[in-house]
């Protein structure tokens, strides 16, 4: 590394905590030009927040022509990102703008796909606005990619280095800040569409939460928090309370059934394990997801002020630092009290009574 480049990279560290006045840099890697603002750096790597909202990991020994550009960092415009997406995905896809979203979808399928993401974004705003939470404005247009078949979806995920399972129908990528999914009906008009709808809801909630300040991409919350919120919104009474106003409409029936089956073998004191560690998600995924939904639903229904306070608390941690068990427990008890045994009893009684 040249002395000039080392000096310039040292200057980048001053931009890591700024927001409105973030500087804009340009770098060339293998002939590809990137523009972005630095988030984190080491002696060998630089993490850039790119102008399309993605995270770009730059190997410094491969970087060329690193320089600061005039002005401050800002997102590409929606029209600029739309043009980039059209070039990326080609003539078999349309790119539809819906206000806050750019949705890449098979040609001629605008009405089937594009409005749904925007509707969920607005439902999310209404839900938290009614609870007194002022969400942050979006910094970037939100992007969703819809592939026509599972094979197309799997090829894209593999190119992006994303591992999938047989049950994966879509995902939100922290790295690209995109939703990726596929049409499980394979375009058959008579096929049931509810699985597509559930995937859109779940992944859109992830994306919107990570882009409006409820979660932080650089300091992710415990897994039960992000997954529980997304699963809670899958119930029609949450994302469309005007048409579905009853408590029973807000219950995620699929997760409730799994939790009821799990209830008889659920270990005593499981609440503390869920709060302080993500390891339960590596032991039994279905049970962990059902518990994440059940705890989230209990807190949102019975302790809404403390729940939103907790969401914001977990989003305001220092970036790119591990979240220890002690810190997780401290943040949880600061919002819900330190008597976890009593809270767990109230929680289970509430779920059992649904």
């Amino acid at each position: 590394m040249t002395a000039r480049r080392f000096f310039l990279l040292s200057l980048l560290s001053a931009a890591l905590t700024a927001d409105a006045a973030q500087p804009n840099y340009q770098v060339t890697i293998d002939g590809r030009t990137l523009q972005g603002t630095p988030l984190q750096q080491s002696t060998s790597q630089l993490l850039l927040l790119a102008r399309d909202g993605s995270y770009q990991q730059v190997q410094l020994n491969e970087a060329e022509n690193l320089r600061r550009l005039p002005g401050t960092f800002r997102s590409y415009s929606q029209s600029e990102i739309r043009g980039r997406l059209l070039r990326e995905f080609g003539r078999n896809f349309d790119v539809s703008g819906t206000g806050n979203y750019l949705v890449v979808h098979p040609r001629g399928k605008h009405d089937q796909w594009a409005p749904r993401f925007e509707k969920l974004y607005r439902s999310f705003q209404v839900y938290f606005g009614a609870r007194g939470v002022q969400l942050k404005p979006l910094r970037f247009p939100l992007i969703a990619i819809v592939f026509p078949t599972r094979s197309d979806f799997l090829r894209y995920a593999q190119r992006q280095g994303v591992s999938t399972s047989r049950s994966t129908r879509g995902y939100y990528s922290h790295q690209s800040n995109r939703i990726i999914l596929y049409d499980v009906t394979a375009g058959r008009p008579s096929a049931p569409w509810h699985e597509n709808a559930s995937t859109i809801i779940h992944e859109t909630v992830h994306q919107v939460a990570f882009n409006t300040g409820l979660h932080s991409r650089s300091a992710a919350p415990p897994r039960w928090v992000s997954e529980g919120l997304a699963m809670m919104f899958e119930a029609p009474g949450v994302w469309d309370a005007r048409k579905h106003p009853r408590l029973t409409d807000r219950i995620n029936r699929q997760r409730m059934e799994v939790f009821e089956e799990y209830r008889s073998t659920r270990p005593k004191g499981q609440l503390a394990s869920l709060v302080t560690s993500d390891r339960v998600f590596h032991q039994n995924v279905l049970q962990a997801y059902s518990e994440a939904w059940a705890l989230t639903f209990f807190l949102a229904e019975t302790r809404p002020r403390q729940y939103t306070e907790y969401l914001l608390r977990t989003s305001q941690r220092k970036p790119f630092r591990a979240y220890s068990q002690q810190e997780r427990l401290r943040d949880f008890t600061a919002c819900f009290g330190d008597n976890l045994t009593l809270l767990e009893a109230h929680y289970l009684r509430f779920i059992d009574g649904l």
Side-chain angles (χ1 to χ4, degrees), residues 94-106 109-121 144 146 193 200 204:
D94 289 334
V95 180
S96 296
T98 62
N100 295 289
Y101 264 92
L102 286 167
V103 182
V104 180
H105 56 81
K109 301 293 184 180
H110 171 277
D111 292 345
Q112 186 176 5
W113 293 100
R116 295 175 183 266
F117 297 91
E118 188 72 29
K119 183 177 181 180
L120 256 298
Y121 172 82
V146 181
W193 222 80
I200 290 172
T204 299

Side-chain angles (χ1 to χ4, degrees), residues 53-98:
S54 66
Y55 283 171
Q56 298 290 334
Q57 195 78 49
V58 177
Q59 302 296 326
L60 296 182
N61 61 356
E62 300 174 359
E64 298 178 349
N65 303 321
L66 178 64
R67 63 189 181 94
R68 181 169 179 172
L69 300 175
T72 57
F73 175 80
R74 61 179 177 83
S75 168
Y76 286 125
S77 68
Q78 190 172 80
S79 61
E80 288 174 313
I81 294 180
R82 183 176 184 275
R84 296 167 72 91
L85 290 171
L86 284 169
R87 290 190 293 273
E88 179 180 353
F89 289 94
R91 62 185 181 182
N92 291 327
F93 291 87
D94 289 334
V95 180
S96 296
T98 62

Side-chain angles (χ1 to χ4, degrees), residues 9 17 28 33 59 67 91 98 165 172 175 204 256 292 351:
L9 290 177
T17 57
T28 302
T33 300
Q59 302 296 326
R67 63 189 181 94
R91 62 185 181 182
T98 62
S165 68
Y172 163 67
Q175 187 277 324
T204 299
M256 181 71 174
I351 297 297

